[in-house]
Amino acid sequence: MKSMLELLENDSTLTAEQLAIMIGGDVEEIKALIRSYEKDGVIVGYKTLIDWDKTDREFVTALIELKVEPQIDRGFDSIAERICNFPEVESVFLMSGGFDIAVMIEGKTLKEVAFFVAEKLSTMEGVTGTATHFVLRKYKDKNTIYRRKPVDERGICAL
């Protein structure tokens, strides 16, 4: 059986009543638990995933990898906090491997993203290198598959 948090993570529109039925709990206890999770920062937000390719909104998504010099007593936290404050930044992750921090951003054009990397990220104190990758198409995001036009995989039958 899935936990309440797993159910909410997959569908934040579930009501306390629906959750109570799904996990076999009391509605008021579920509501209190959700409030407690929100207060304690376990639940940090609710988001709706939108397939922007099906709208007229034009923008570019990029994954930028950063090599960073960790700071004494702060490690990577200080620079990550500064990066989080840029409005273009969607996500920031501490990574293992060849780069230290991964940043997901959105911009209106490739040029806007390039400017952000060249003028804001690469010039930050402690950043020693960057690599930018542009997202060409999303197939799956946050455990949700983006469906394109259904493909008819039936073969043609000649009589």
Side-chain angles (χ1 to χ4, degrees):
M1 178 191 303
K2 288 189 172 186
S3 76
M4 182 180 75
L5 289 174
E6 289 173 315
L7 291 168
L8 282 172
E9 184 176 41
N10 289 324
D11 183 358
S12 64
T13 66
L14 291 171
T15 65
E17 291 77 12
Q18 291 170 318
L19 288 166
I21 292 168
M22 296 168 89
I23 62 175
D26 176 70
V27 173
E28 292 307 314
E29 288 176 6
I30 299 286
K31 287 179 180 178
L33 194 53
I34 290 171
R35 282 191 301 272
S36 173
Y37 283 149
E38 290 170 342
K39 179 181 173 241
D40 295 341
V42 173
I43 295 175
V44 295
Y46 299 91
K47 293 284 186 180
T48 300
L49 286 177
I50 298 182
D51 188 349
W52 290 107
D53 289 344
K54 293 184 178 180
T55 71
D56 60 357
R57 180 177 174 212
E58 294 289 330
F59 70 98
V60 177
T61 302
L63 169 72
I64 301 131
E65 297 173 309
L66 303 174
K67 288 186 181 184
V68 177
E69 293 177 353
Q71 294 182 337
I72 297 172
D73 296 330
R74 294 286 325 256
F76 298 100
D77 293 347
S78 178
I79 195 157
E81 289 167 7
R82 285 186 282 151
I83 293 167
C84 286
N85 288 322
F86 289 114
E88 300 91 341
V89 172
E90 296 274 319
S91 303
V92 178
F93 306 102
L94 180 63
M95 305 296 291
S96 64
F99 288 85
D100 304 305
I101 293 179
V103 179
M104 293 290 292
I105 72 162
E106 286 186 354
K108 292 179 184 168
T109 64
L110 294 173
K111 189 175 183 177
E112 184 177 285
V113 171
F115 176 79
F116 177 78
V117 173
E119 299 296 322
K120 294 183 181 177
L121 287 182
S122 66
T123 60
M124 291 180 77
E125 184 179 342
V127 173
T128 61
T130 67
T132 302
H133 311 275
F134 291 97
V135 175
L136 302 177
R137 174 184 281 174
K138 287 185 183 179
Y139 293 102
K140 185 175 183 178
D141 189 16
K142 295 182 180 50
N143 209 28
T144 299
I145 295 174
Y146 286 66
R147 301 215 185 266
R148 302 290 178 204
K149 293 179 184 174
V151 176
D152 186 354
E153 295 182 6
R154 298 177 290 176
I156 297 176
C157 215
L159 295 176

